[in-house]
Amino acid sequence: MPSLWINGAWTAPVRGGRRRIQNPATLAIVDEVADASAEDVARACAAAAAAQTHWRRVPALERARLLHEAALTMRGDRARLSELLTLEGGKPRIENLDEVEWCAACFDYYAEIARHSHGNSIPPTAEHQINFTIKEPLGVVGAIVPFNYPLLLLVWKIAPALAAGNTVVIKPSELTPLATLRLAERALAHLPPGAVNVVTGGAEAGAALVDDPRVACIAFTGSTAVGTEIAVKAARQLKRVNLELGGIDPLIVFEDADLDVAVPGAAWARFLNNGQVCTSAKRIFVVEPIAREFIDRFVAHAKTLKVGDPMDPDTDLGPMISERARARVEDQVKRALSQGARLLYGGTRLDAGPGWFYAPTVLTDVRPEHAVVCEEVFGPIASIQVVRDADEAIARAAQSEYGLGANIYTRNLTYALRAMQEIKAGTFWINDPLTDNDAAPFGGMRKSGMGRELGEEGLDAFRETKHVHLDFIPERKPFWFPYRQRRDEVAAVAAHDVRA
Ligand code: NAD
């Protein structure tokens, strides 16, 4: 029964509230966690603020050593961490084993780049001067995380934040806090007490973290609705925000695509983690000449997917995260069908276990105004739109209020670069959907958010730049008071003006 993790120790919540964590596949209760109140969040922020005065001074080499040690411990704890991720979130175990490895790799990456990414020296404007910038931590960072990749999306925030000398208060999703608590207690225990704190709970705990004046920056991943609310509140305190929000990403299959690759690629990009991925291919466009073949093969592929127990190594898709999430997707499909969409496969709940299973579903004849296209569908629903040609595909894919990612399948350079130019997206994937790179920035445009995670930009999200100006021969400057010593300059300019 984990409590809150504050200042390097388990701490009971002030008010004693608890939340049950349910396995979405079996509906069994996996564990209970504390339901943090605003007082608990305040205690965590105080611990983080106190720890920051020390952590910001730890030399970069020592900080890097500690972050590498955290990565090593994470890898050693991969079996239990991936098991917890599967029990609380329902993703197949293999995906969670990958998730833990990606987290460790991200810690290793930031341990290293924080050592050499330190600022600039700048050419001075006068003699015997030196100008340079240094990078400083912001202070306490609040990390608020969704349910779908509980550790990965957390590590994209805390690895750079810690590497830059910040301390953190983490608010995991109320649905998936268990692996995060385990990570804090084991892998992150190498860090000084108070550097990493975890407050479990729901919207109330998240809101308290946003409001706490000791928190200098909120790094948030989640829905556009909650992200907007956070941005408004943070603005009142001029607090920094990094917002990774929703997406309705397009995937275009052009007529020259190799369907042996594009069909399984598109299916993976849509059905991975039951479509509960911010960058899922939520709008699939296929051009007319290959549409029939693509759709037939896509449906045939969807039929091969094994839905069931996520602990079973043969399972491709586990349950959805909650009954509420499943009911929402069900409603979106129902509305699409009533608006004229055609169901080619699925469209029903599945009896693959006691939990919240839903069949991988394929719809076609969908139009831009249908619910399944203009709303974010966070479930295993592939919506395929047949378009006349490349021009129409690019134009329709570009029509969106969101701008997270975009995918295309083609070997035609002109199609690829035209689509890349026309479609607003933080990441543009050509022939290899949804692949991330710790060294490359990730984030969204428009309603998909602001700011970037990963890469050097992901480190800068948690740093201030300070310009240092140094004159190594102190001398009285001719432009200081008294100004009468510059009287001739004024007179010369005035005389020039009269002549002109
Ligand atoms: P959510 O917005 O419901 O919740 C995210 C987190 O915010 C949770 O920890 C929740 O407790 C907390 N929260 C809720 N209300 C809050 C409030 N008022 N103040 C502060 N915190 C609050 O999202 P979710 O359902 O967990 O995740 C799904 C959403 O996340 C989808 O829209 C998906 O596209 C998005 N997402 C985006 C990315 C990305 O990188 N852009 C990645 C993954 C998921």
Side-chain angles (χ1 to χ4, degrees):
M1 276 203 199
S3 307
L4 307 166
W5 182 258
I6 298 177
N7 210 22
W10 293 116
T11 309
V14 174
R15 285 199 235 131
R18 305 202 71 80
R19 279 176 181 266
R20 291 169 146 202
I21 306 304
Q22 200 167 7
N23 180 329
T26 63
L27 305 189
I29 302 303
V30 186
D31 209 335
E32 282 187 0
V33 295
D35 191 13
S37 62
E39 294 102 295
D40 297 313
V41 173
R43 281 194 299 171
C45 292
Q52 212 262 326
T53 56
H54 160 69
W55 181 242
R56 71 196 293 267
R57 293 193 171 87
V58 171
L61 190 59
E62 174 62 3
R63 243 189 248 154
R65 188 185 68 75
L66 292 169
L67 296 179
H68 280 308
E69 246 177 73
L72 203 64
T73 314
M74 242 172 259
R75 289 191 172 100
D77 203 22
R78 205 165 155 225
R80 182 59 181 155
L81 285 171
S82 62
E83 184 185 24
L84 283 174
L85 285 170
T86 310
L87 294 177
E88 63 185 348
K91 280 210 301 292
R93 182 84 185 273
I94 186 67
E95 290 180 20
N96 291 322
L97 282 164
D98 287 345
E99 181 168 345
V100 177
E101 170 51 34
W102 296 336
C103 290
C106 187
F107 260 82
D108 280 337
Y109 170 73
Y110 279 111
E112 286 310 308
I113 73 155
R115 284 183 57 198
H116 61 76
S117 166
H118 42 66
N120 278 318
S121 80
I122 297 149
T125 54
E127 274 182 79
H128 47 77
Q129 294 182 349
I130 294 178
N131 292 75
F132 58 93
T133 57
I134 57 168
K135 299 285 185 174
E136 293 188 342
L138 302 176
V140 176
V141 169
I144 304 180
V145 183
F147 72 85
N148 58 346
Y149 289 88
L151 291 189
L152 187 69
L153 298 173
L154 170 68
V155 163
W156 286 5
K157 296 164 182 51
I158 66 169
L162 290 165
N166 302 278
T167 53
V168 298
V169 178
I170 299 163
K171 212 299 283 171
S173 164
E174 53 274 50
L175 303 172
T176 55
L178 299 176
T180 304
L181 289 167
R182 171 93 178 181
L183 191 85
E185 186 198 14
R186 303 283 171 114
L188 304 177
H190 300 287
L191 305 173
V196 174
N197 306 275
V198 185
V199 287
T200 48
E204 185 193 341
L209 191 56
V210 176
D211 288 340
D212 195 291
R214 283 162 292 211
V215 175
C217 167
I218 292 290
F220 172 81
T221 300
S223 60
T224 297
V226 175
T228 307
E229 198 180 319
I230 289 175
V232 169
K233 284 173 86 184
R236 291 200 198 105
Q237 293 183 32
L238 291 182
K239 193 172 281 198
R240 276 213 205 181
V241 286
N242 210 59
L243 302 172
E244 302 291 344
L245 310 178
I248 310 187
D249 290 3
L251 182 148
I252 306 175
V253 187
F254 290 102
E255 70 267 16
D256 67 303
D258 176 355
L259 294 190
D260 288 344
V261 179
V263 168
W268 185 76
R270 186 49 186 132
F271 294 130
L272 168 71
N273 191 11
N274 257 317
Q276 301 171 122
V277 182
C278 52
T279 47
S280 299
K282 294 175 187 133
R283 294 178 294 144
I284 299 175
F285 298 94
V286 56
V287 292
E288 226 156 41
I290 55 160
R292 188 70 272 148
E293 186 183 355
F294 176 85
I295 291 172
D296 288 349
R297 289 174 67 172
F298 189 93
V299 170
H301 189 81
K303 287 180 180 169
T304 66
L305 298 176
K306 185 170 182 301
V307 183
D309 174 8
M311 293 299 283
D312 178 343
D314 290 343
T315 293
D316 297 309
L317 302 185
M320 293 189 63
I321 187 65
S322 66
E323 176 55 28
R324 193 158 151 253
R326 180 168 70 169
R328 180 173 155 77
V329 161
E330 209 168 33
D331 173 62
Q332 287 169 316
V333 171
K334 210 157 90 192
R335 280 187 286 141
L337 295 177
S338 72
Q339 289 169 305
R342 196 152 51 94
L343 180 68
L344 298 181
Y345 181 61
T348 53
R349 294 177 172 219
L350 273 190
D351 195 14
W356 299 302
F357 293 94
Y358 195 86
T361 295
V362 186
L363 297 174
T364 190
D365 293 350
V366 291
R367 290 199 310 272
E369 67 275 16
H370 289 176
V372 285
V373 176
C374 58
E375 295 171 14
E376 184 181 38
V377 180
F378 226 53
I381 316 300
S383 297
I384 304 179
Q385 303 182 54
V386 177
V387 286
R388 215 173 34 252
D389 55 20
D391 285 345
E392 189 184 353
I394 294 170
R396 300 250 307 256
Q399 263 169 27
S400 177
E401 296 181 297
Y402 293 82
L404 192 55
N407 297 276
I408 62 167
Y409 272 100
T410 186
R411 284 171 288 195
N412 179 315
L413 195 60
T414 306
Y415 290 164
L417 296 185
R418 270 189 43 220
M420 186 272 290
Q421 277 192 332
E422 294 302 317
I423 299 171
K424 273 199 169 293
T427 309
F428 191 80
W429 285 285
I430 305 171
N431 297 327
D432 188 13
L434 312 197
T435 299
D436 298 316
N437 177 343
D438 288 335
F442 176 89
M445 302 178 182
R446 304 197 269 206
K447 285 190 173 175
S448 295
M450 56 176 81
R452 292 290 178 273
E453 296 191 313
L454 298 181
E456 204 155 339
E457 291 174 57
L459 183 64
D460 263 339
F462 301 111
R463 305 194 294 188
E464 289 282 14
T465 302
K466 181 179 279 175
H467 168 214
V468 181
H469 173 94
L470 181 154
D471 192 327
F472 56 89
I473 305 183
E475 61 183 8
R476 190 173 174 144
K477 303 292 179 192
F479 50 82
W480 293 351
F481 300 135
Y483 286 154
R484 65 174 171 275
Q485 68 197 4
R486 299 182 69 190
R487 186 188 292 146
D488 292 351
E489 275 181 57
V490 178
V493 172
H496 179 267
D497 284 356
V498 168
R499 278 199 302 278

